[in-house]
Amino acid sequence: MNRVRRVEEKDGGVTYRIEVEEPSDKRLDRYLAEELSLSRSHVASLIEAGRVHVGDRIPKKSHLPETGDLIVVEVPPPEPTVALAEDIPVDVLFEDEGFLVVNKPAGMVVHPAPGHHQGTLVNALLHQVGRLSSIGGAHRPGIVHRLDKDTSGLMIVAKEERIHRKLADALARRQIVRLYLTACWGHLDRDKLLIEADVGRHRGDRKRMAVVPGTRPAATEIERLERWRAADFLKVRLHTGRTHQIRVHLRHIGHPVVGDRQYAEGWERGLSTGAGRWARELAQRVGRQFLHAAELAFEHPVSGDSLHFTAPLPEDLEGAAEWARSTS
């Protein structure tokens, strides 16, 4: 019989240690579900989140437990069923009765999700404006479109359901212009290009996206603004809004986003000696993915007035860009 011990309980979470005393022909997700009286889907999510270890390894769900395995399972506390208001400063560029335009800082998650149920943009806006559109559910109220945690810049957030639907429809019809500033490794072979390639879930890693034919169509328009020593400074227009679209498309053509730890980890080390030193210095100066949502242009969903918002590069990216220009 296996020995199961609860080794720590803290803030509603618990850590289990299981010492396997005889081999099993059951997959790890099913094995743990039975040993810990959890649902199999819950166990699968814990494995995918890296909260299950067999020895010093993060296993696959298909792993078959073997005699002598030490399995450690970290079960986090249950998350709130609704997003809570938090007093966090937010840079609001525009607000009326129906929606806001905000300038999200890098490092802030947009809405509550596993591992991030506090400190998000939604938590902050609920405190600042009191109410957001219920479209999107309890954890994603008001979110018309998203930005990655480490992407800074402009976002539209709806306060009222009717306005949310109009803005979402305008986005789907490509009537909202979204322009980004980014830097990519290496040099494009021309100053302007349009990337059209389907984007879907990576077949081997569910946390990543990839160009996967037959999934969701995606189009990204790119213009080179500056040519640096071993990188290009780009303006990018999104024609569709797939998850990680800019990052995936630039990786697909061999020029991933500078500082992107998910799609370009260590990319600069493959450059030639002199360029490699320059690239490593740039990556250190950036400290995150060089991607900023710089412009939004669209018609007001009620009045029809033309609206145009801009957000300059934040200090960290502007400082890196100035260094890149001065050394190129």
Side-chain angles (χ1 to χ4, degrees):
M1 182 175 181
N2 298 312
R3 296 165 60 191
V4 180
R5 290 186 289 163
R6 298 164 65 104
V7 296
E8 183 181 16
E9 293 189 45
K10 183 178 181 181
D11 299 328
V14 62
T15 299
Y16 295 94
R17 289 168 61 94
I18 303 175
E19 298 175 13
V20 179
E21 297 185 345
E22 56 185 40
S24 174
D25 60 358
K26 298 176 183 175
R27 288 166 45 111
L28 184 62
D29 51 354
R30 180 180 173 189
Y31 175 86
L32 291 178
E34 295 178 2
E35 291 286 341
L36 302 178
S37 298
L38 300 172
S39 72
R40 192 165 172 179
S41 61
H42 188 186
V43 170
S45 68
L46 293 175
I47 294 172
E48 290 179 3
R51 293 183 176 275
V52 177
H53 289 76
V54 177
D56 59 358
R57 296 181 297 109
I58 297 177
K60 296 182 178 180
K61 291 181 289 186
S62 57
H63 173 75
L64 299 179
E66 301 175 353
T67 301
D69 278 352
L70 175 60
I71 305 174
V72 178
V73 182
E74 299 174 1
V75 181
E79 297 179 1
T81 56
V82 296
L84 304 176
E86 295 182 68
D87 187 3
I88 302 170
V90 184
D91 183 12
V92 177
L93 278 64
F94 173 89
E95 180 180 1
D96 67 7
E97 296 81 4
F99 69 97
L100 311 96
V101 175
V102 302
N103 185 13
K104 185 190 84 68
M108 175 179 274
V109 175
V110 169
H111 59 78
H116 297 284
H117 55 269
Q118 295 179 329
T120 73
L121 179 65
V122 162
N123 296 118
L125 289 176
L126 285 172
H127 179 271
Q128 183 153 326
V129 305
R131 178 181 181 272
L132 298 175
S133 161
S134 62
I135 296 175
H139 284 153
R140 297 175 57 184
I143 301 304
V144 178
H145 61 107
R146 294 182 293 173
L147 294 177
D148 299 333
K149 175 185 175 182
D150 288 329
T151 299
S152 52
L154 299 174
M155 286 184 56
I156 307 170
V157 183
K159 298 166 63 176
E160 195 266 328
E161 283 76 9
R162 179 175 63 95
I163 299 300
H164 194 150
R165 283 190 286 270
K166 286 189 173 184
L167 289 168
D169 182 65
L171 190 69
R173 292 175 181 271
R174 304 185 183 183
Q175 296 170 348
I176 297 179
V177 176
R178 290 174 290 167
L179 299 179
Y180 291 72
L181 296 174
T182 188
C184 71
W185 291 124
H187 300 300
L188 304 180
D189 58 7
R190 53 190 183 277
D191 288 335
K192 294 183 178 181
L193 69 153
L194 176 66
I195 304 172
E196 294 181 290
D198 296 354
V199 172
R201 190 69 59 182
H202 192 288
R203 301 201 189 281
D205 184 350
R206 287 182 51 79
K207 295 180 181 180
R208 291 160 56 98
M209 307 299 288
V211 168
V212 182
T215 53
R216 304 187 71 187
T220 306
E221 185 179 343
I222 295 173
E223 178 184 357
R224 176 164 45 208
L225 301 178
E226 300 174 17
R227 182 184 174 101
W228 298 339
R229 182 170 181 182
D232 282 344
F233 182 49
L234 312 174
K235 179 170 69 175
V236 178
R237 177 172 178 175
L238 282 180
H239 290 284
T240 51
R242 310 308 179 207
T243 301
H244 300 175
Q245 179 175 318
I246 294 173
R247 299 160 64 194
V248 168
H249 271 177
L250 285 173
R251 168 63 186 260
H252 177 64
I253 65 170
H255 298 282
V257 171
V258 168
D260 188 339
R261 296 185 182 91
Q262 192 167 20
Y263 296 101
E265 181 67 34
W267 196 272
E268 63 274 18
R269 292 195 291 271
L271 300 174
S272 61
T273 303
R277 284 195 297 269
W278 183 93
R280 288 192 292 274
E281 177 69 18
L282 177 60
Q284 289 175 359
R285 287 174 178 271
V286 172
R288 52 123 168 162
Q289 61 202 30
F290 197 122
L291 186 58
H292 176 69
E295 293 187 51
L296 281 173
F298 57 97
E299 290 188 356
H300 192 286
V302 176
S303 69
D305 292 342
S306 295
L307 302 177
H308 182 217
F309 302 95
T310 61
L313 281 177
E315 185 175 344
D316 61 337
L317 300 187
E318 181 57 36
E322 289 179 357
W323 176 86
R325 294 183 190 109
S326 69
T327 55
S328 295

